[in-house]
Amino acid sequence: MTTRIFRTLLLGAIAALALLPSLARAQAAPPLDPARNLVIPPESTHQPLPEQYIWTRNGPPVGQAEVLPRFFRAAFNLTAMPKDATLYLAGPRSAKIYLNGKLVDQFDSDLTAPGLDFRVFASQLTGLHIGRNVLAMEVVRGKGGSKSTTVPSTIQIANGKVVVAKILPAAPWVPTDSPALLLSDTSWKATLSASGDWQNPAFNDSAWPAVASLGPIETDINLRQWNTDAGMYNWPGYQGVSPFLRQTPLPAVAVTHVFSGRSIITGSDALTKPGSSPLTVHLASPNLPQQEAPSLVLDFGRETVGRLQLVSTSATPAIVAIEYGESENELLDHPYLGTDLLTLPANATAYGPKSAFRYARVRFLSTSGPIQIGSIQLDAIFYPVSYSGSFESSDPLLNKIWETGVYTAHLCMQDDIWDAPKRDRGRWAGDLDVSGRVIDNVFADRFLMEDTLTRLLDDRAPGHHVNSIPGYSALWISALDQYYLHTGSLDYLKSVHQRLLDLLATMDTEMDADHLFADKSKDWPFVDWTADLSADTPEARRGTQFEYILAFHDAAFLLRELGDTAAAAQRDQAAAQLTAAAQSHLLDPATGTFGSRWQVNSMAILSGAATPTQVPVIWSTVLSQTANASFREPPITPFYNAYVLSAMAATGHRAEALEWIRKYWGGMIHEGATSFWEAYDTHWPTGNAHVSLQADGSTGYFVSLAHGWSSGPTSWLMEEVLGIHSTAAGFRTATLRPDLAGLAWARGTEPTPHGLIVIDLKPAQTTVTLPAGIELSVLVPISPGHSSILLNGKSVTPGPLSEDSMRATVVLSLPGTYTLEVQ
């Protein structure tokens, strides 16, 4: 055993011993992904609600944060009088509501309150009559706020410029299956300027324009991005769940922080132990302020995505307050969605807002009698997948990291593949380049990957970049390249051929006369969350240059697959020009590196811009600092650390990369992470994950504890330890370069369009089961001049040597199980 391998094993053992307490807790917890072995529920029979988001056709652009009154009118006929009628209204921050000419209600929202941008209001109506009725409203746009998107419908709803309304024939918050008396739709009229008796039924509104509509509130996937629909949780009948998603109940694993105050809470055990006496709350008085209200906290044992479901068995309605937290500190100190009031009808089910959380607090505020709860659990929302890919090794910590990375990526598979299920809940190409690789390797998903890739192009404003970030245009191409290599979907590649060319043309406009990235579009040259890499700085331009080189190489390959050889040659030429420019203008001649930043140098290696003589210098000068406990690298996120890991593998330092995985991602596990965080630093204080988390140039509870861009080790372990890489579309050809890097053993599976590749590694032995249709080149580790290779017990003459004669190639082209041994 070499000194290097012994040192690696010793360090791994020390790291594992240090983490034994947290690993014991993790092993005692429920399975991390509750959907992993779940029998997939049937598709929901829920019919999307017909009411529409509407707004005025005229006025300032939807992205402008003006505050002007808008006037709406709608007429409807009644043939029979309902016993009760309730108007539900959402969107505006304030409204005056007139029915048949009389003011029947008005409301204002507290714009200083944190949390949801708009809320659902219920108004019990009086003054209806048989025949024609007219509803008239004066409203002001909702709270709203800007989001990083160019999708018009998302911008509009995010800026609060929507109204949705319906009148149901029932008392407020009482469930009913009866048809609505009135729904917001394109028959409504709206204007910015109203005069005279515009509220009265006899007013002639023929000159008023018809409203503009965003369509029914549950049919457009873009209306569920960026938390824009989180305020619709209390809308009668609203689910806001795409038909390709599934839902399943998930009970809490613990109830904590039970606070009674002057009230009485009994039966809280019923929330985790079926069959116990029901949860019952007796309020000290019918209405209590929040600080005196009895409450409890539910812990679901891991990060989850969904909404709180409360089932009332009470004879009277109640008002409760709901708060969520990804961490207990977030829940208790500053919930991201704020405090959300919910009316819980008698003997009915109600839901809290959709988000990602682990902890939920329920406060019981108001009722006219005892509150009895049948259950409070999570209505978990998930995208159905199969865990086809796998990884397991002799290191329990690495196994936990692999599983946590998979779960993190799965949590982000919602209404498209998001960066995070709490915040932003949006599509980002850079995040997809990391999480998409995990999805390719483990779930082999096609539908959601293709939908997300396509919509990222749809979201792109003409002449601008994907997500308005030049580097994300490049990483979109890299994500497409990996998707095509894994799936071989030529049909999808053909569907984006012209748009790929258009995107490359936009990227070309950014270069100056020296073939250096110059940010001519003035889009956002973001590379990573740190001051000199998240603004238009020389360092960010340098990092984007290398992202471009990588993308141009990938684009040349994809264009050749499409038969577009002329465009492919142009990309080869562009990559060569940018590489030569980087060598001439971006290389530090004093160090032989591209500066000191891990991010930039890693991408220089991965793009092929760094020469073979520069690669070992970059390792020894820059990337080897991952092993230096006293070295303080400027902030680097788990996102770009994924590229650092790949660069370490490319330099031949996989054992050191494993140590960095154990230290960096293992550090999050040690702090109790059940999904990987948006940001992390091994030098940050421990105890409250949110205290030091940094993103968007700030810190705090808005930062995500489940971020797809942090899942990189999952795919890395499969690609660099198991060693499997597709080298042609859909795994027609592939390489297997096993590297235990100090592990005693490792095994796993890789999904391909031809079936699973099964890999089992031991020192000096590789066993692989190969399906038909794949030509696999196994790069067997050897000792020059001292190794012979047995294939299923028989000596075999290997093919070409590589890696300084440390690897010999054995090609497998027929299906079967093969064991290669080195003697």
Side-chain angles (χ1 to χ4, degrees), residues 452-531:
T452 304
L453 284 165
T454 301
R455 289 180 186 272
L456 279 165
L457 290 182
D458 293 342
D459 299 351
R460 184 173 75 96
H464 290 272
H465 292 279
V466 176
N467 296 126
S468 297
I469 299 174
Y472 276 24
S473 291
L475 294 179
W476 183 91
I477 296 172
S478 297
L480 175 65
D481 173 73
Q482 284 300 312
Y483 176 73
Y484 178 67
L485 282 171
H486 280 79
T487 66
S489 181
L490 186 60
D491 286 343
Y492 181 70
L493 189 59
K494 289 178 179 178
S495 75
V496 296
H497 182 187
Q498 184 56 51
R499 301 177 77 185
L500 172 61
L501 294 174
D502 293 342
L503 182 60
L504 289 165
T506 298
M507 295 170 69
D508 286 340
T509 63
E510 298 285 13
M511 316 313 295
D512 65 16
D514 293 324
H515 302 291
L516 293 171
F517 174 79
D519 191 30
K520 291 185 176 182
S521 68
K522 301 305 177 185
D523 277 353
W524 182 22
F526 172 85
V527 174
D528 199 15
W529 281 128
T530 182

Side-chain angles (χ1 to χ4, degrees), residues 157-340:
I157 192 172
N159 278 272
K161 296 188 177 182
V162 293
V163 163
V164 57
K166 68 178 173 184
I167 299 176
L168 294 179
W173 310 114
V174 174
T176 178
D177 293 327
S178 299
L181 307 179
L182 176 67
L183 298 173
S184 52
D185 59 22
T186 54
S187 68
W188 286 45
K189 299 290 190 72
T191 183
L192 266 72
S193 177
S195 59
D197 56 353
W198 67 272
Q199 310 96 326
N200 291 330
F203 177 76
N204 183 0
D205 61 12
S206 60
W208 283 26
V211 295
S213 173
L214 294 181
I217 61 177
E218 292 187 293
T219 56
D220 183 356
I221 196 172
N222 290 314
L223 299 176
R224 294 190 290 278
Q225 309 284 313
W226 300 93
N227 275 311
T228 51
D229 76 328
M232 290 296 290
Y233 67 96
N234 213 12
W235 189 261
Y238 185 80
Q239 285 197 10
V241 177
S242 291
F244 51 77
L245 298 176
R246 296 293 187 270
Q247 296 160 260
T248 190
L250 184 66
V253 300
V255 177
T256 64
H257 296 79
V258 178
F259 171 73
S260 298
R262 295 184 296 113
S263 303
I264 299 172
I265 297 180
T266 60
S268 59
D269 285 350
L271 302 180
T272 57
K273 299 176 182 177
S276 303
S277 300
L279 173 69
T280 304
V281 182
H282 295 270
L283 297 186
S285 61
N287 296 283
L288 292 173
Q290 287 197 29
Q291 64 270 25
E292 296 181 20
S295 63
L296 50 82
V297 171
L298 298 104
D299 177 4
F300 291 94
R302 84 281 275 169
E303 181 88 1
T304 55
V305 178
R307 53 188 187 167
L308 207 62
Q309 179 192 69
L310 299 92
V311 179
S312 168
T313 56
S314 300
T316 56
I319 297 177
V320 299
I322 293 174
E323 297 162 316
Y324 295 156
E326 289 188 295
S327 66
E328 192 174 68
N329 294 100
E330 178 191 350
L331 175 75
L332 300 178
D333 295 348
H334 197 281
Y336 176 68
L337 288 181
T339 300
D340 308 308

Side-chain angles (χ1 to χ4, degrees), residues 508-586:
D508 286 340
T509 63
E510 298 285 13
M511 316 313 295
D512 65 16
D514 293 324
H515 302 291
L516 293 171
F517 174 79
D519 191 30
K520 291 185 176 182
S521 68
K522 301 305 177 185
D523 277 353
W524 182 22
F526 172 85
V527 174
D528 199 15
W529 281 128
T530 182
D532 59 345
L533 287 172
S534 58
D536 188 8
T537 66
E539 204 68 64
R541 290 190 178 193
R542 181 154 45 178
T544 304
Q545 178 95 3
F546 295 125
E547 291 173 344
Y548 267 41
I549 295 171
L550 176 62
F552 287 167
H553 284 307
D554 289 343
F557 164 72
L558 294 172
L559 290 165
R560 284 194 178 87
E561 292 290 294
L562 288 163
D564 194 345
T565 55
Q570 290 177 347
R571 289 306 111 195
D572 284 332
Q573 182 182 16
Q577 290 171 334
L578 268 63
T579 298
Q583 289 289 335
S584 297
H585 301 283
L586 304 182

Side-chain angles (χ1 to χ4, degrees), residues 693-758:
L693 281 172
Q694 300 177 22
D696 292 312
S698 184
T699 62
Y701 292 113
F702 78 99
V703 181
S704 166
L705 295 191
H707 227 76
W709 78 1
S710 304
S711 59
T714 291
S715 53
W716 191 93
L717 289 166
M718 299 175 73
E719 294 171 0
E720 303 301 340
V721 174
L722 300 181
I724 188 68
H725 287 267
S726 174
T727 55
F731 280 89
R732 288 198 309 271
T733 64
T735 60
L736 179 64
R737 186 200 178 279
D739 195 336
L740 286 171
L743 295 169
W745 56 268
R747 55 177 171 250
T749 54
E750 174 73 36
T752 80
H754 311 279
L756 285 180
I757 299 175
V758 183

